[in-house]
Amino acid sequence: MKRLLIFLMLSAFAFSLHAQSVKSELPKPNKQQGLKTDGIVQPYLSDFLELCKKYDIDFHEKLFKLKEIAVVDSLQVNTKGGTLGLLVRDENKEVEKIIFSWMTLLDKEILKVVAFHEFGHYFLGYKHTCGDCNVIMAEVNSSYFDIVKDWESQVEKLFLESPEYNKNKNVNYYVEN
Ligand SMILES: [Zn+2]
């Protein structure tokens, strides 16, 4: 009995150490720019912005305009499903917040897909590319699993086919000719 107790205490200690190290690895929210980002979404935002750099898409101005990225419990849910993510606009129709339903927290992979979807709308200038199909920018995703399984190529497609990426390319093309 005593042994079991010590073992439990040790594993609790190890777990709390682990939790701490995970916490310190999280990128810090960008406080200078006044953007408040929910900690659970922050890693996906950081990944997404890294990819913007890789594909040479400028995100600074848009990031600067954003006030908040949050997980909320106010998005509508019904028996058929519900809204998992949304861009919230101010009275001038400018996006000021990106919000995610608490339902995305049920599975980290779902949150990842929904986060990239909403960031795709905002940073990459996307509208929905199709109704119900298995790409990140579909209006409805019937299988998050299929997207996650194919994540690397899904993300590559998301960036390469985005309006922002192709806008940059057209400008270069025009200048070169
Ligand atoms: Zn959408």
Side-chain angles (χ1 to χ4, degrees):
M1 184 64 194
K2 225 177 200 171
R3 237 184 228 177
L4 178 68
L5 196 67
I6 288 170
F7 172 75
L8 283 176
M9 278 170 70
L10 273 177
S11 27
F13 179 66
F15 179 75
S16 73
L17 272 185
H18 177 70
Q20 249 177 15
S21 67
V22 166
K23 210 173 171 188
S24 64
E25 277 164 22
L26 285 178
K28 293 197 176 64
N30 219 335
K31 284 216 176 98
Q32 311 91 292
Q33 297 181 334
L35 170 63
K36 221 169 80 188
T37 306
D38 197 303
I40 201 150
V41 189
Q42 181 68 46
Y44 303 121
L45 177 66
S46 302
D47 287 353
F48 193 92
L49 297 180
E50 277 305 315
L51 285 158
C52 285
K53 282 183 204 161
K54 177 179 163 189
Y55 288 98
D56 205 17
I57 291 165
D58 184 27
F59 56 84
H60 291 91
E61 196 182 326
K62 284 187 172 173
L63 189 65
F64 186 75
K65 284 183 181 166
L66 263 190
K67 289 186 182 144
E68 194 176 2
I69 297 175
V71 178
V72 300
D73 58 10
S74 54
L75 281 173
Q76 217 181 10
V77 183
N78 58 42
T79 46
K80 286 180 191 155
T83 306
L84 293 179
L86 193 68
L87 303 185
V88 181
R89 293 169 193 273
D90 63 15
E91 60 271 19
N92 303 318
K93 305 249 186 276
E94 298 276 353
V95 176
E96 59 171 2
K97 288 183 195 172
I98 301 177
I99 55 175
F100 298 97
S101 164
W102 62 271
M103 285 203 307
T104 58
L105 302 183
L106 298 177
D107 188 327
K108 270 194 171 170
E109 302 287 24
I110 295 181
L111 177 59
K112 180 165 83 172
V113 178
V114 178
F116 270 58
H117 178 101
E118 297 307 326
F119 297 155
H121 278 311
Y122 185 57
F123 292 107
L124 304 181
Y126 265 111
K127 296 200 181 339
H128 294 132
T129 50
C130 54
D132 184 352
C133 52
N134 286 326
V135 295
I136 295 173
M137 291 316 297
E139 193 170 1
V140 177
N141 286 130
S142 43
S143 173
Y144 287 96
F145 180 70
D146 286 346
I147 294 178
V148 168
K149 216 167 50 180
D150 192 28
W151 186 245
E152 295 298 319
S153 67
Q154 282 275 349
V155 167
E156 189 178 58
K157 184 180 159 77
L158 177 75
F159 278 84
L160 288 180
E161 293 178 7
S162 72
E164 278 298 319
Y165 181 79
N166 289 293
K167 186 179 86 183
N168 290 347
K169 266 174 66 182
N170 289 341
V171 168
N172 291 339
Y173 183 76
Y174 178 72
V175 169
E176 278 162 22
N177 286 276

